[in-house]
Amino acid sequence: QVQLVESGGGLVQAGGSLRLSCAASGRIFSSYAMGWFRQAPGKEREFVATITRSVYNTYYADSVKGRFTISRNNAKNTVYLQMDSLKVEDTAVYYCAASLAYYSKNSDDYGYWGQGTQVTVSS
């Protein structure tokens, strides 16, 4: 079992920045690829970013590429999502998730999920 707890969400103006954190407990954090997904009201959950468990390769959705940065600290059992140049359309609940795959953009490959943290970007 892996328990995930997100933090760092909030209200920010367009063009601003936020840093989300996801703290993991339970089984060996370094064994999991970690991902961030988001879900806006009335929309399906979508992939945002993922980072592999060891080499730390990263992959991003086209909509956030160049603005968001995913990183992890295996010593602290934490994954981060640095969000810069935020847009109103980034407003959503953001979820971190853990997968035993090397990496994945598919939410079905993630077996563990946090409770989510709200990010609201105002114009």
Side-chain angles (χ1 to χ4, degrees):
Q1 285 281 1
V2 176
Q3 293 80 41
L4 303 171
V5 179
E6 302 99 333
S7 61
L11 174 64
V12 64
Q13 285 191 328
S17 298
L18 280 175
R19 188 194 196 202
L20 305 183
S21 298
C22 174
S25 60
R27 304 188 70 174
I28 302 173
F29 178 71
S30 59
S31 299
Y32 294 85
M34 298 300 296
W36 286 96
F37 292 78
R38 67 187 182 186
Q39 187 166 19
K43 295 187 176 181
E44 293 188 352
R45 189 173 298 186
E46 65 174 1
F47 165 77
V48 175
T50 185
I51 185 167
T52 57
R53 56 179 177 259
S54 56
V55 181
Y56 295 11
N57 291 329
T58 57
Y59 304 87
Y60 297 92
D62 288 343
S63 58
V64 307
K65 201 172 295 183
R67 300 187 298 120
F68 289 12
T69 303
I70 188 172
S71 62
R72 67 189 294 164
N73 184 329
N74 284 354
K76 294 185 177 181
N77 287 0
T78 303
V79 61
Y80 306 95
L81 185 68
Q82 177 67 41
M83 305 186 294
D84 299 318
S85 302
L86 282 161
K87 303 176 180 180
V88 172
E89 50 264 42
D90 293 320
T91 296
V93 177
Y94 283 71
Y95 299 89
C96 75
S99 172
L100 287 173
Y102 183 65
Y103 83 95
S104 177
K105 300 178 182 181
N106 188 339
S107 61
D108 290 341
D109 291 327
Y110 289 79
Y112 302 98
W113 293 82
Q115 83 289 349
T117 185
Q118 176 70 47
V119 171
T120 303
V121 184
S122 63
S123 59

